């Protein structure tokens, strides 16, 4: 399962760092970093909070790509 995301791209455009995004969504800087690297899949609530910060639909930031072996 691959959950692709554009969190870093949206964060850079908005001009905020990982610490600030974490503060805005109630997560740690390490969690934001892990999401950006694809090492952590956020909960639905966290994904929605991130999308709300960037004022876009969650699908514009997160995309699920099904593994061909599944």
């Amino acid at each position: 399962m691959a959950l692709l995301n554009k969190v870093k791209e949206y964060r850079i455009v908005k001009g905020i760092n990982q610490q600030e995004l974490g503060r805005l969504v109630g997560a740690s800087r390490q969690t934001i970093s892990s999401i950006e690297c694809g090492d952590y899949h956020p909960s639905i609530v966290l994904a929605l909070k991130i999308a709300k910060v960037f004022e876009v639909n969650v699908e514009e930031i997160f995309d699920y790509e099904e593994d061909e072996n599944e």
Side-chain angles (χ1 to χ4, degrees), residues 2-3 6 16 18 31 34 43 46 49 52 58 68-69:
L3 182 64
K6 297 178 184 172
I16 59 175
Q18 292 175 340
T31 297
S34 293
S43 68
L46 182 53
K49 286 180 179 181
K52 189 172 186 174
V58 72
E68 292 179 14
N69 297 326

Side-chain angles (χ1 to χ4, degrees), residues 3-12 16-19 21 29-42 50 54 62:
L3 182 64
L4 308 173
N5 74 79
K6 297 178 184 172
V7 174
K8 185 174 184 177
E9 291 91 335
Y10 276 87
R11 183 177 56 74
I12 289 170
I16 59 175
N17 60 31
Q18 292 175 340
Q19 184 76 33
L21 179 56
R29 183 207 58 80
Q30 292 86 352
T31 297
I32 301 302
S33 176
S34 293
I35 291 169
E36 289 182 358
C37 292
D39 296 333
Y40 177 75
H41 298 204
I50 291 169
F54 298 128
F62 295 96

